[in-house]
Amino acid sequence: GQLIYGQENKFINTFFLRKWYEKLIKFLVSSPDVVISPSKWLLDFYTKKGFFKNSGKKVLPNSVDQTSNQRTESEKLRFLYVGQVGGYKGIFTLLNVFKDLDYELHIAGDGKDLEKAKEFKKDNIIFHGRLDKKELENIYSNSDILIFSSLTYENCPMAILRAFSFGLPVIGSRIGGVSELIEGNVTGW
């Protein structure tokens, strides 16, 4: 499932069973009339592997409702991380940075590394756990910048699209489809 940046050539990704699996999937999926992908990165990834040779190809990003998302202002910058709490999402790099800063970092999500991440808890690092839709909207509206620190090749992350719907700029990893979503110095970095 996960292709982590810098581990593309590890054994698990080059093992002969993986190659056989890809050939089987290419045979089963073949070339449908049209392939729709939420990111150019993902479409290119599969095209380079020989998928969808005779298919029409279209990129159609995910979308979110942007009808009434309002933000509240604050004097101190409030950063937000939304997603799985796992090493592959860059959470420990993020926590190491924020343990020495005076800015707030709100973490919304759970995962296998949540308890380990909570060891970094300081007054400026606030763990919210898994939130329902209303609570998540509230935390977006009370934040200033979303940090998307994933080390995994992401496609078209909903966390970024939700941030944009609240007018939040995004600091994101420059891997996978993330950089397609962020317009430098306009919607983030």
Side-chain angles (χ1 to χ4, degrees), residues 119-142:
E119 294 172 12
F120 287 80
K121 188 161 175 60
K122 286 183 50 181
D123 289 342
N124 67 317
I125 300 174
I126 302 109
F127 290 88
H128 296 276
R130 186 179 191 93
L131 302 175
D132 66 28
K133 184 180 180 199
K134 202 66 166 161
E135 293 169 320
L136 198 53
E137 288 174 358
N138 186 48
I139 201 162
Y140 272 109
S141 68
N142 286 293

Side-chain angles (χ1 to χ4, degrees), residues 51-66:
F51 284 83
F52 317 126
K53 287 182 180 179
N54 300 315
S55 300
K57 298 170 185 81
K58 178 75 176 158
V59 174
L60 184 63
N62 296 328
S63 65
V64 295
D65 180 18
Q66 299 189 21

Side-chain angles (χ1 to χ4, degrees), residues 31-70:
S31 267
D33 292 338
V34 177
V35 174
I36 299 172
S37 174
S39 73
K40 181 180 180 313
W41 173 82
L42 187 66
L43 190 58
D44 290 348
F45 178 83
Y46 283 107
T47 300
K48 287 176 188 168
K49 289 184 170 283
F51 284 83
F52 317 126
K53 287 182 180 179
N54 300 315
S55 300
K57 298 170 185 81
K58 178 75 176 158
V59 174
L60 184 63
N62 296 328
S63 65
V64 295
D65 180 18
Q66 299 189 21
T67 52
S68 62
N69 297 333
Q70 301 292 321

Side-chain angles (χ1 to χ4, degrees), residues 53-161:
K53 287 182 180 179
N54 300 315
S55 300
K57 298 170 185 81
K58 178 75 176 158
V59 174
L60 184 63
N62 296 328
S63 65
V64 295
D65 180 18
Q66 299 189 21
T67 52
S68 62
N69 297 333
Q70 301 292 321
R71 281 189 30 236
T72 58
E73 297 296 323
S74 118
E75 292 183 23
K76 189 182 237 186
L77 270 178
R78 299 162 299 186
F79 290 85
L80 174 62
Y81 169 89
V82 175
Q84 287 287 315
V85 180
Y88 64 95
K89 290 290 195 170
I91 191 72
F92 296 111
T93 302
L94 188 58
L95 290 169
N96 273 315
V97 168
F98 272 85
K99 72 179 183 181
D100 296 326
L101 296 177
D102 192 31
Y103 301 111
E104 285 182 9
L105 172 62
H106 294 264
I107 299 171
D110 62 10
K112 67 180 185 94
D113 290 332
L114 180 59
E115 293 308 312
K116 184 177 176 184
K118 284 183 176 180
E119 294 172 12
F120 287 80
K121 188 161 175 60
K122 286 183 50 181
D123 289 342
N124 67 317
I125 300 174
I126 302 109
F127 290 88
H128 296 276
R130 186 179 191 93
L131 302 175
D132 66 28
K133 184 180 180 199
K134 202 66 166 161
E135 293 169 320
L136 198 53
E137 288 174 358
N138 186 48
I139 201 162
Y140 272 109
S141 68
N142 286 293
S143 298
D144 299 303
I145 298 173
L146 177 81
I147 298 184
F148 195 83
S149 55
S150 185
L151 304 175
T152 266
Y153 286 91
E154 302 280 351
N155 186 13
C156 185
M158 292 302 292
I160 292 176
L161 299 175

